[in-house]
């Protein structure tokens, strides 16, 4: 229905409604103003000649008489058997009408039905029309508005269309093979995850990946956004969830995709002022559906969020969204591949080197890169070029960076360099000192609030940590700040998180582990348990002010010693620090094996020198 038709329809509704209302009002007025008089009074008025008009019915007489002021007053009265009546009336020159024999019960029913219809008409106008505002379908608002995408042979999205998140793809591969042949998996009794949670910054291709899973497996794809479930009416969201799952089960095997899960899945009871009833009900319904359906039915729920931290813990429990797949910003090679994918549909000048572009776009996510190619194409078209050349592509970088639709932050060359040395500092110290977890990977691709990260993975579970180990780990934490200072003679805010962690760790050393010589083997630990209702405030820390000063002094001393040790180590191995940082700037991600190679080269050089 086009807007014109819709407003015409609305106008008709209003006219009909108002007319009915007006008629009802008139009717009411007429009934009200009819004066009921006794038959004797009627006879009196008739003989005195004031009655001007009479309608006769066997059971009712209606008419008008003239009152004092010359006004006509409507009246009614109930006739008695009176043979002289007509005679008297003709002598009084009354206009006489013969009324129909009055309403049978059928008339009564019809009139009552009329009222019912009128009522429903008004209800329709006032209630349903309101709900329909925005062109939504009346009475189907409990239905899910999920879009169903059939596997389309021609423009099916598959893993080929997604680049730069190989780990995520690998993990999702299992889901794909399950969807292709659910029976094969369930036959052996294996438990397939019901829910997969994709998380990562916006624009990294989470939605795309979910679509690709459905595309790879050639199954229908139902997608809905979390915000669609949050409606004005309590219970609507829950009923939409139910409907969504029902639809998907009918089409199984199928993929349900809930985008922006955090819109409904935020932790309940969080925040002051109570929860949001509607959201809570919706979340509960999702949990019920997740618990209720069996993967045997061949339905997999994939959800995406860029705020996994705010999700309700109930969602993340085993048997629900128990598979969490990070989708991070692409690295250099990933960016090149994404650029390749998106430049396929565009006429690109053969001289264009996508690797150079990838190098110039650290921090860009897939959506930014897609946008970049598009901007360049538009720019070239405006300049009447035959194909998209490097010049336009480079200009497009600036446009995307300045543009409003930018999804990620762009890191300048200078910042990138600082981050590279910072992370190299962590890595170098971690590799030099024993008792620290091996470095698995070091990266200068932003992740969450961090601009880079050094990933250390423990080789085994450890339950005891020695004092030396703790001190060594502190050195690793301080390595970033220290490297910055050593190389740039300047320090940045980039080490805030490291310093927080280090300080908290030292505080525990002193107050919990009894590892400070000065204070001795003693703990100053507060009672275990949750802090509630100001219990902590009431009790105080449990030691004196002078002890507090001593604790602070010890924390400072230990940190300072660690810092000096770190600085010494970095100064001695400055060449190695440089080579790690250079490699990082070049590749953005350096894996463990490559680090080992760098280290062995350095020791060889030292031996020969
Ligand atoms: P998200 O859901 O993570 O916010 P989307 O999947 O909606 O991001 O990505 C938006 C668009 O950006 C996609 O349609 C695609 O064109 C492009 N894009 C994002 N990530 C990638 C990627 N890894 N590979 C190829 N294209 C990508
Ligand atoms: Mg998305
Ligand atoms: Zn750091």
């Amino acid at each position: 229905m086009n807007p014109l038709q819709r407003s015409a329809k609305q106008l008709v509704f209003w006219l009909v409604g108002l007319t009915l209302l007006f008629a009802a009002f008139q009717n009411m007025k007429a009934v009200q103003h009819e004066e009921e008089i006794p038959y004797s009074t009627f006879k009196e008025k008739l003989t005195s000649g004031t009655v001007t008009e009479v309608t006769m019915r066997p059971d009712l007489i209606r008419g008008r008489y003239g009152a004092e002021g010359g006004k006509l007053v409507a009246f009614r009265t109930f006739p008695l058997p009176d043979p002289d009546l007509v005679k008297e009336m003709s002598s009084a020159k009354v206009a006489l009408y013969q009324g129909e024999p009055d309403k049978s019960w059928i008339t009564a029913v019809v009139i009552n039905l009329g009222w019912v219809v009128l009522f429903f008409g008004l209800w329709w106008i006032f209630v349903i029309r309101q709900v329909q505002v925005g062109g939504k379908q009346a009475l189907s608002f409990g239905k899910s508005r999920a879009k169903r995408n059939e596997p389309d042979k021609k423009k099916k999205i598959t893993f080929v269309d997604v680049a730069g998140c190989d780990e995520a793809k690998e993990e999702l591969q299992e889901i794909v093979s399950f969807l292709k042949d659910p029976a094969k998996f369930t036959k052996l009794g294996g438990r397939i995850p019901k829910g997969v949670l994709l998380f990562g910054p916006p624009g990294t291709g989470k939605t795309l990946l979910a679509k690709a899973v459905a595309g790879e497996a050639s199954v229908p794809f139902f997608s809905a956004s979390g915000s669609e479930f949050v409606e004005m009416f309590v219970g609507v969201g829950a009923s939409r969830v139910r409907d969504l799952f029902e639809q998907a089960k009918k089409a199984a095997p199928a993929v349900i995709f809930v985008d922006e899960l955090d819109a409904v899945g935020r932790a309940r009871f969080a925040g002051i002022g109570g929860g949001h009833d509607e959201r809570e009900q919706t979340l509960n319904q999702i949990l019920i559906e997740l618990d209720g359906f069996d993967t045997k039915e061949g339905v997999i729920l994939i959800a995406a969020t860029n705020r996994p931290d705010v999700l309700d813990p109930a969602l993340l429990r085993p048997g629900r969204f128990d598979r969490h797949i990070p989708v991070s910003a692409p690295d250099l090679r990933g960016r090149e591949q994404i650029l390749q994918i998106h430049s396929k549909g565009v006429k690109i000048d053969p001289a264009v080197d996508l690797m150079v572009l990838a190098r110039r776009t650290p921090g860009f996510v897939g959506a930014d890169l897609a946008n970049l190619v598009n901007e360049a194409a538009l720019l070239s078209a405006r300049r009447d070029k035959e194909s998209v050349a490097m010049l336009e592509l480079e200009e497009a970088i600036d446009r995307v960076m300045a543009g409003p639709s930018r999804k990620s932050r762009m890191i300048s060359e200078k910042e990138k360099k600082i981050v590279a040395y910072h992370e190299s500092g962590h890595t170098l110290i971690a590799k030099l000192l024993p008792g620290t977890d091996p470095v698995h990977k070091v990266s200068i691709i932003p992740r969450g609030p961090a601009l880079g990260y050094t990933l250390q993975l423990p080789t085994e579970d450890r339950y005891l940590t020695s004092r030396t180990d703790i001190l060594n780990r502190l050195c690793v934490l301080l390595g970033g700040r220290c490297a910055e200072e050593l190389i740039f003679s300047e320090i940045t805010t980039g080490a805030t998180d490291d310093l927080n962690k280090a300080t908290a760790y030292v505080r525990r050393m002193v107050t919990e582990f009894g590892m400070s010589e000065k204070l001795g083997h003693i703990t100053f630990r507060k009672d275990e348990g949750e802090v509630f209702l100001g219990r902590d405030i009431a009790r105080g820390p449990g030691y004196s002010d002078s002890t507090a000063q001593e604790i602070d002094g010890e924390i400072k001393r230990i940190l300072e010693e660690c810092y000096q040790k770190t600085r010494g180590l970095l100064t001695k191995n400055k060449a190695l620090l440089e080579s790690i940082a250079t490699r990082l700037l070049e590749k953005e991600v350096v894996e463990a094996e490559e680090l080992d190679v760098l280290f062995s080269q350095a020791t060889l050089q030292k031996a020969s020198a």
Side-chain angles (χ1 to χ4, degrees), residues 507-515 522-526:
R507 184 172 289 280
R508 290 188 71 195
M509 262 183 94
V510 176
T511 61
E512 278 181 42
F513 311 146
M515 284 181 179
I522 184 169
T523 75
F524 300 96
R525 204 164 150 195
K526 281 173 252 174

Side-chain angles (χ1 to χ4, degrees), residues 423-552:
E423 296 306 330
S424 303
H426 287 309
T427 305
L428 183 57
I429 301 293
K431 288 207 67 100
L432 288 174
L433 291 175
T436 55
D437 294 327
V439 178
H440 189 72
K441 180 179 177 178
V442 48
S443 158
I444 53 169
I445 294 166
R447 192 163 74 170
L451 293 173
Y453 57 93
T454 301
L455 186 65
Q456 287 175 275
L457 293 179
T459 38
E460 61 204 346
D461 285 343
R462 295 211 301 192
Y463 303 101
L464 290 176
T465 315
S466 70
R467 186 169 185 276
T468 319
D469 288 352
I470 296 182
L471 290 174
N472 286 346
R473 285 183 199 176
L474 286 173
C475 291
V476 174
L477 281 171
L478 295 171
R481 156 68 53 106
C482 202
E484 285 180 39
E485 198 207 337
L486 191 69
I487 303 293
F488 303 104
S489 310
E490 174 69 291
I491 51 181
T492 68
T493 52
T496 315
D497 190 47
D498 298 333
L499 295 181
N500 271 338
K501 276 191 202 142
T503 312
Y505 212 5
V506 183
R507 184 172 289 280
R508 290 188 71 195
M509 262 183 94
V510 176
T511 61
E512 278 181 42
F513 311 146
M515 284 181 179
S516 132
E517 294 92 347
K518 196 164 172 199
L519 288 158
H521 310 288
I522 184 169
T523 75
F524 300 96
R525 204 164 150 195
K526 281 173 252 174
D527 275 340
E528 293 246 13
E530 315 237 317
V531 178
F532 62 92
L533 291 183
R535 202 185 60 184
D536 262 36
I537 300 163
R539 278 207 190 165
Y543 43 78
S544 70
D545 283 353
S546 65
T547 312
Q549 264 180 17
E550 274 186 85
I551 291 173
D552 290 343

Side-chain angles (χ1 to χ4, degrees), residues 331-337 339-340 343 351-362 369 390 393-394 397 416 585-588:
D331 62 359
L332 192 61
R333 270 198 49 67
R335 290 201 299 274
E336 191 197 7
Q337 285 166 358
L339 282 169
Q340 260 163 14
S343 55
V352 167
D353 186 352
L354 293 179
M355 195 61 192
V356 172
L357 280 178
R359 227 175 258 293
R360 280 212 46 203
T361 48
L369 295 167
M390 205 63 186
L393 283 163
E394 301 227 347
I397 294 180
K416 203 172 142 185
L585 283 168
E586 212 174 281
K587 292 191 56 194
E588 296 183 4

Side-chain angles (χ1 to χ4, degrees), residues 58-308:
D59 58 340
L60 185 74
I61 294 177
R62 276 192 164 139
R64 288 168 199 273
Y65 68 84
E68 274 100 281
K71 222 169 63 188
L72 282 179
V73 176
F75 72 87
R76 65 174 160 180
T77 185
F78 298 99
L80 300 175
D82 191 347
D84 298 333
L85 182 64
V86 177
K87 219 165 70 197
E88 272 171 43
M89 269 195 291
S90 46
S91 67
K93 294 198 187 73
V94 170
L96 178 67
Y97 304 98
Q98 206 64 48
E100 327 253 310
D102 202 34
K103 338 164 189 173
S104 62
W105 63 273
I106 296 180
T107 337
V109 166
V110 168
I111 286 174
N112 278 321
L113 269 180
W115 279 103
V116 172
V117 169
L118 175 69
F119 173 76
F120 270 104
L122 289 178
W123 179 73
W124 170 268
I125 287 165
F126 287 115
V127 179
I128 297 295
R129 296 298 297 172
Q130 290 296 316
V131 172
Q132 275 186 328
V133 169
K136 292 169 191 167
Q137 284 294 298
L139 297 175
S140 71
F141 51 126
K143 292 263 184 284
S144 121
R145 259 185 263 126
K147 291 173 280 297
R148 174 182 171 145
N149 289 1
E150 283 300 334
D152 185 343
K153 289 286 169 306
K154 264 175 275 166
K155 50 187 185 100
K156 195 165 75 170
I157 292 172
T158 62
F159 281 157
V160 181
D161 303 301
V162 194
C165 35
D166 297 330
E167 285 154 46
K169 276 201 272 188
E170 220 166 88
E171 292 218 34
L172 286 169
Q173 193 58 53
E174 186 193 341
I175 307 285
V176 171
S177 28
F178 166 72
L179 285 169
K180 271 186 184 157
D181 188 2
K184 191 172 107 192
F185 282 77
T186 46
K187 210 165 55 192
L188 297 175
R191 203 173 59 86
I192 299 295
K194 289 178 188 174
V196 178
L197 181 66
L198 300 173
F199 65 93
T204 45
K206 297 181 293 296
T207 309
L208 200 65
L209 268 171
K211 277 186 190 154
V213 168
E216 284 278 326
S218 300
V219 300
F221 177 77
F222 294 87
S223 78
S225 169
S227 51
E228 276 168 32
F229 294 128
V230 183
E231 285 282 340
M232 196 163 64
F233 301 100
V234 171
V236 173
S239 111
R240 281 203 186 129
V241 170
R242 218 172 300 130
D243 189 59
L244 176 61
F245 275 79
E246 243 154 55
Q247 282 185 40
K249 276 181 209 167
K250 267 184 223 146
V255 169
I256 302 178
F257 178 62
V258 179
D259 212 347
E260 304 164 47
L261 183 67
D262 47 297
V264 279
R266 271 170 196 265
R268 288 166 292 184
F269 315 122
I272 297 159
H276 183 309
D277 260 349
E278 164 64 355
R279 223 195 53 217
E280 230 162 73
Q281 284 203 11
T282 308
L283 175 57
N284 284 339
Q285 190 62 39
I286 290 180
L287 293 177
I288 289 167
E289 294 291 348
L290 265 171
D291 289 342
F293 86 86
D294 198 332
T295 21
K296 282 200 191 85
E297 295 173 68
V299 178
I300 296 259
L301 181 56
I302 301 181
T305 179
N306 41 30
R307 296 294 312 276

Side-chain angles (χ1 to χ4, degrees), residues 365-390:
V365 294
D368 295 328
L369 295 167
N371 196 4
L372 178 131
V373 175
N374 188 45
E375 283 283 345
L378 293 179
L379 215 59
S380 309
R382 215 173 301 147
R383 291 175 187 168
D384 297 323
K385 295 241 179 147
E386 283 291 296
S387 59
V388 181
M390 205 63 186

